[in-house]
Amino acid sequence: MIPQDSFIIVTKIDPVQLDKLRSLLKTMTFADRTGMADPDNPLVRFRDFDEIHFARFVVLADNTLNDRADYPQLPSREPFYLCFMVDCDGSADELLARMAQRPDGLRTIVGHCEEFGQTTDLLGWLRARRVKPAASYVNWVGRSVGQVREEARLHDLLRAALSEIEESEPQKILVRLRQSIMLPEPLKPAPPTPLSWRIRNLAHLLLPFVVALVCLALFPIITIVLLGIGSVLFAVALRRHEQTDKFVKQPYDADWVAELRKSEDHDVTNQYTAMGSIKPGWFRLRTEKAILYGINWVARHIFTRGSLARIGTIHFAHWVFLDQGRRAFFCSNYDGGHEAYMDDFINKAGFGLNLSFSSGIGYPTTNWLLARGAWLEQEFKHFQRRHQIPTDVWYKAYPGLTAHDLARNSRIRNGFEKAAMSYDEIRRWLAEI
């Protein structure tokens, strides 16, 4: 398989250039679809890069800085950033190098940022501002853009051919379909998984277990005692913070929500970008980093085949720290409407929302980290809308297709290529078309 990769470039915007930059980014989008990228836009022609799944440019302008009023130890102002993010197949660094070679598009965009000046080495400048997400999620590791498009084309051809067949016996229908389908090109087999990726992935999988086993083998008593004491101290500190964190009201701003909705529902998939401040102090930051390490581990090694916990509508997601951990932002690409997206998480994985975001200023109060929080539904929904910001430019390589569609098309392809299927297997396969 071709494993996915991503790059996230974050750079400070020259405040004087902020309005000009936003106006420039609008030229990359369709006039009648706010934020939706034109694949053939003159600045970054996304259509030319077949390995890109999703991409976005977003001005990270934090509209929740006033929530810091009760935390005087935090700065009252922070810089604006431009974030350029891409989820792709293969090496993201190689893709970035190719994109930087194109004439003037990226250079024109980042020319509105601080410290760019007349830089001649655009690629080096971009690489120096690449940040590593604290956690990432991929819906289906190894499903490439090419595979998605091939399988979608096969599904369309099968569906059209099926409507012309008058047979009633499943076996005969299958034979007729295989005889009648004329693909423009043969379906490409999955390439071998790079050995280097396998080694890195295995090392990442085993690292926490190796560390734990080494500690237990070398210092069994000390390790067990420290774990016990550490767990008690963490529980006490957590409860103290939950009971003493200042309450920050998250009002519902109808005008702001109306502005956010302008860039939603132009496709079956939507974008989401939110940012805010981390509660001050080492405890909250260290806890958040540990939790995101765990989320990244399970997303990379367990939830790799179509769902994050029980949520099957997310294509890609990233959690990223900014400003030495004082702030963070979250980006995702999800299917369906915004309200359904939030309800899905609250109903199926509210504890995951608490783990991921309860260290943020203004998050609804939790009990022992897992309880309450997101289950205070209206408080949570006001919190996330207040922290959400518009995504200025958003690109999707396969419009009209949901994560469910991608999984269905893969099953259809597997059946189409399978040498032999039972009667029941054929019936189930035909029902998917």
Side-chain angles (χ1 to χ4, degrees):
M1 67 176 186
I2 304 175
Q4 285 85 11
D5 198 0
S6 65
F7 64 74
I8 302 171
I9 294 163
V10 179
T11 178
K12 293 179 183 179
I13 300 170
D14 181 349
V16 177
Q17 300 291 328
L18 179 60
D19 291 338
K20 292 181 180 178
L21 174 59
R22 280 181 162 151
S23 296
L24 180 66
L25 293 176
K26 284 183 180 179
T27 67
M28 301 174 65
T29 65
F30 292 109
D32 59 341
R33 282 171 276 175
T34 302
M36 180 70 73
D38 178 353
D40 299 311
N41 76 83
L43 292 174
V44 181
R45 245 180 84 93
F46 294 115
R47 193 189 299 279
D48 292 344
F49 303 97
D50 290 336
E51 61 267 67
I52 295 179
H53 287 262
F54 291 88
R56 73 180 68 196
F57 285 92
V58 55
V59 174
L60 298 175
D62 191 347
N63 62 311
T64 66
L65 291 178
N66 289 338
D67 293 351
R68 292 179 172 190
D70 291 327
Y71 297 92
Q73 64 269 55
L74 292 175
S76 59
R77 302 184 68 180
E78 296 281 7
F80 293 113
Y81 292 100
L82 173 67
C83 173
F84 174 34
M85 177 184 297
V86 168
D87 295 296
C88 65
D89 298 319
S91 168
D93 193 61
E94 292 178 6
L95 172 62
L96 181 60
R98 288 173 49 220
M99 297 184 82
Q101 292 173 357
R102 293 300 181 94
D104 295 337
L106 274 177
R107 183 177 294 275
T108 302
I109 294 170
V110 300
H112 295 76
C113 300
E114 292 183 0
E115 303 172 354
F116 184 74
Q118 299 300 316
T119 303
T120 56
D121 182 11
L122 175 61
L123 178 58
W125 189 90
L126 292 170
R127 283 173 171 165
R129 285 151 184 83
R130 186 174 173 183
V131 298
K132 183 178 180 181
S136 293
Y137 168 73
V138 177
N139 177 273
W140 194 285
V141 176
R143 181 185 282 139
S144 67
V145 177
Q147 178 183 342
V148 167
R149 290 171 172 166
E150 283 188 344
E151 291 173 353
R153 183 168 61 247
L154 174 63
H155 171 250
D156 291 343
L157 290 171
L158 285 169
R159 189 162 190 163
L162 185 60
S163 66
E164 302 295 326
I165 295 176
E166 297 180 356
E167 295 283 356
S168 58
E169 287 295 320
Q171 294 97 328
K172 292 181 179 179
I173 295 173
L174 175 61
V175 171
R176 289 282 303 277
L177 285 174
R178 284 175 168 166
Q179 291 174 342
S180 62
I181 295 299
M182 299 296 292
L183 292 170
E185 297 177 1
L187 294 173
K188 297 181 179 67
T193 306
L195 178 61
S196 59
W197 184 87
R198 288 183 181 274
I199 293 172
R200 290 195 307 271
N201 205 50
L202 181 62
H204 189 274
L205 170 68
L206 297 178
L207 179 61
F209 299 104
V210 171
V211 171
L213 288 173
V214 169
C215 290
L216 285 171
L218 297 180
F219 314 103
I221 304 300
I222 294 175
T223 299
I224 293 171
V225 170
L226 288 178
L227 281 174
I229 294 174
S231 298
V232 172
L233 292 176
F234 174 80
V236 170
L238 173 65
R239 195 65 187 138
R240 181 176 66 83
H241 278 81
E242 288 181 329
Q243 293 176 333
T244 60
D245 283 340
K246 296 178 177 64
F247 175 73
V248 179
K249 184 174 177 58
Q250 302 288 289
Y252 181 81
D253 186 338
D255 292 338
W256 179 246
V257 173
E259 185 65 26
L260 293 170
R261 284 176 175 159
K262 291 179 182 178
S263 59
E264 294 173 353
D265 300 329
H266 299 304
D267 186 74
V268 294
T269 304
N270 273 309
Q271 46 67 38
Y272 183 80
T273 308
M275 72 180 303
S277 301
I278 304 295
K279 294 170 184 175
W282 66 269
F283 177 80
R284 282 296 190 181
L285 180 58
R286 298 294 182 192
T287 300
E288 184 70 7
K289 287 185 175 181
I291 288 170
L292 290 182
Y293 176 86
I295 289 174
N296 187 62
W297 191 92
V298 298
R300 183 167 174 172
H301 303 293
I302 298 176
F303 299 123
T304 61
R305 285 296 180 266
S307 68
L308 178 60
R310 292 187 296 154
I311 313 298
T313 55
I314 305 173
H315 293 261
F316 292 84
H318 302 282
W319 292 254
V320 185
F321 286 110
L322 289 174
D323 300 327
Q324 294 77 51
R326 291 196 300 270
R327 292 195 292 172
F329 71 94
F330 171 76
C331 295
S332 66
N333 307 287
Y334 66 93
D335 296 326
H338 180 90
E339 286 298 318
Y341 178 50
M342 288 300 131
D343 289 341
D344 215 19
F345 261 104
I346 292 170
N347 295 330
K348 296 179 180 178
F351 70 93
L353 293 172
N354 291 347
L355 287 170
S356 300
F357 303 112
S358 62
S359 293
I361 291 176
Y363 193 86
T365 303
T366 57
N367 278 344
W368 300 109
L369 197 58
L370 299 179
R372 295 188 76 201
W375 281 289
L376 301 171
E377 183 176 342
Q378 292 308 312
E379 290 184 28
F380 170 74
K381 287 183 175 180
H382 292 176
F383 167 85
Q384 60 84 23
R385 275 300 200 185
R386 179 167 170 77
H387 287 74
Q388 187 180 355
I389 56 178
T391 301
D392 298 85
V393 179
W394 180 70
Y395 170 75
K396 178 187 177 185
Y398 27 88
L401 294 174
T402 66
H404 172 79
D405 295 331
L406 305 190
R408 177 205 62 208
N409 292 347
S410 290
R411 292 192 298 269
I412 290 172
R413 178 207 181 138
N414 291 340
F416 185 75
E417 294 182 328
K418 194 172 182 179
M421 288 193 287
S422 68
Y423 180 85
D424 287 339
E425 285 177 325
I426 297 173
R427 288 185 62 189
R428 287 194 296 269
W429 181 77
L430 290 171
E432 297 244 58
I433 297 176

